[in-house]
Amino acid sequence: MFKILAIDDDRDILTLIRNILQLDQHLITVHDQVHQLTIEDVQGYDLILLDVMMPQLSGFDFCSTIRDAVDCPILFLTARSEEEAIVQGLMTGADDYITKPFGVKELRARVNAHLRREKREKRPSRQQIGAFTFDFDLRQIWIDDLPLQLTKNEYKICECLARNRHHVFTREEIYEEIYGMDGNALYSTITEFIRSIRKKCKEHNRMPITTVWGVGYRWE
C-alpha cells in the first residue's frame, strides 16, 4: 500500500482517481484547493498527482514551490498536449505527465510504474567524481563544497552519466534511465535538462557534460 496525494480543482476527477487507484490498495488523499496547501501538507507521500490548470495557482507554480521539499514522484494531470507546455512542466521538477482524459488502465500502469522505480534499492555512499562530490543517499552534488541546485530529474541525469564516466549515452538511453520504458514525456526534455545542468555548472566554472555530435552525451 502506498500513500498518494491527488490535487485537482475538479472533484469528479478526484473521485475517479480515488476509485481507480484504490483498486491497487493505495491510500488516496485528495485536495481541490491547491492554494491552501502548505509544504507540510504535501510531505510524507509516495507519489503526487497534480493538475496543471487550476485557479489562483497553477500546477507548474505549485510544483516549483514544493519540489525541493518533496522527494517523491510528481505526475502532472493535463489537458494540454503542446510540446512547449509539457517541457515547461517537466522542467519545474515533475517526473512525468498524464494527459486528460485518461483511462483506468493507463492511470494505474503509469502510477505503479513510478512507484516501482522509487522502490528500487538505492546505492548508498558518498563518492568523488572529478571535481564533483556525489551523495547518492541525499541525491545531492557539491562542487568545491558548494551545493549544485538541481531538480530531481537533472540530478538523475548527472548521476547516470557520472556513474558511467566516459561512456556515451544517446538521448534515448538517458530518457529511459529517467522515465523508464513506459515514460510519456518528450525526448526534447532531455536536451532542455542538459542545457539547464550545463548552465548551473558553468556558474561554478565547470562543464562536465560533453556532447558527442551525432551520438549523445558523456561525463568527462
Side-chain angles (χ1 to χ4, degrees):
M1 178 185 294
F2 290 93
K3 294 176 62 180
I4 297 174
L5 173 64
I7 306 171
D8 196 304
D9 62 311
D10 187 331
R11 294 185 179 181
D12 290 336
I13 292 290
L14 293 176
T15 298
L16 177 64
I17 290 172
R18 186 196 297 273
N19 291 340
I20 292 173
L21 296 183
Q22 282 181 342
L23 295 174
D24 294 313
Q25 308 302 312
H26 299 314
L27 180 62
I28 315 300
T29 301
V30 299
H31 284 284
D32 61 0
Q33 300 290 329
V34 65
H35 63 282
Q36 296 180 355
L37 297 177
T38 66
I39 289 178
E40 289 74 19
D41 292 327
V42 299
Q43 291 179 323
Y45 290 95
D46 298 299
L47 183 140
I48 296 174
L49 293 166
L50 179 60
D51 186 31
V52 170
M53 302 299 291
M54 291 181 287
Q56 297 181 287
L57 184 65
S58 75
F60 292 159
D61 291 337
F62 188 65
C63 181
S64 296
T65 299
I66 68 173
R67 182 73 275 184
D68 287 343
V70 174
D71 192 39
C72 72
I74 298 177
L75 279 60
F76 278 132
L77 301 172
T78 177
R80 304 173 63 182
S81 58
E82 302 94 335
E83 179 174 346
E84 183 178 347
I86 293 168
V87 171
Q88 176 191 351
L90 295 171
M91 292 299 290
T92 65
D95 296 89
D96 204 349
Y97 73 97
I98 301 173
T99 303
K100 297 179 182 179
F102 49 79
V104 173
K105 291 182 179 179
E106 179 189 6
L107 180 64
R108 291 177 69 183
R110 200 165 297 284
V111 165
N112 288 322
H114 280 278
L115 291 172
R116 283 195 303 272
R117 284 197 288 275
E118 291 299 310
K119 279 182 65 180
R120 291 180 302 187
E121 184 177 356
K122 298 178 179 62
R123 292 169 287 187
S125 79
R126 193 177 177 106
Q127 184 177 348
Q128 188 76 28
I129 302 176
F132 297 79
T133 303
F134 283 75
D135 189 311
F136 301 121
D137 283 339
L138 298 177
R139 296 183 181 182
Q140 179 65 61
I141 304 173
W142 288 268
I143 303 176
D144 300 328
D145 296 326
L146 296 175
L148 195 59
Q149 301 298 330
L150 302 173
T151 68
K152 183 177 180 180
N153 284 338
E154 288 170 356
Y155 171 81
K156 286 182 178 180
I157 290 173
C158 288
E159 180 176 332
C160 171
L161 295 179
R163 279 188 183 275
N164 300 277
R165 196 176 182 186
H166 306 313
H167 175 79
V168 180
F169 284 85
T170 66
R171 187 172 64 166
E172 290 73 19
E173 288 172 332
I174 296 173
Y175 179 96
E176 289 183 12
E177 285 288 332
I178 304 307
Y179 297 111
M181 292 291 292
D182 49 4
N184 196 35
L186 299 169
Y187 284 118
S188 58
T189 60
I190 300 302
T191 304
E192 293 301 319
F193 283 137
I194 295 290
R195 183 178 293 118
S196 177
I197 292 168
R198 284 173 165 164
K199 180 179 178 181
K200 293 175 181 179
C201 289
K202 188 175 181 180
E203 294 174 357
H204 297 270
N205 298 313
R206 297 288 190 277
M207 193 59 68
I209 300 177
T210 298
T211 298
V212 180
W213 295 107
V215 184
Y217 305 97
R218 72 178 174 213
W219 190 278
E220 295 294 340

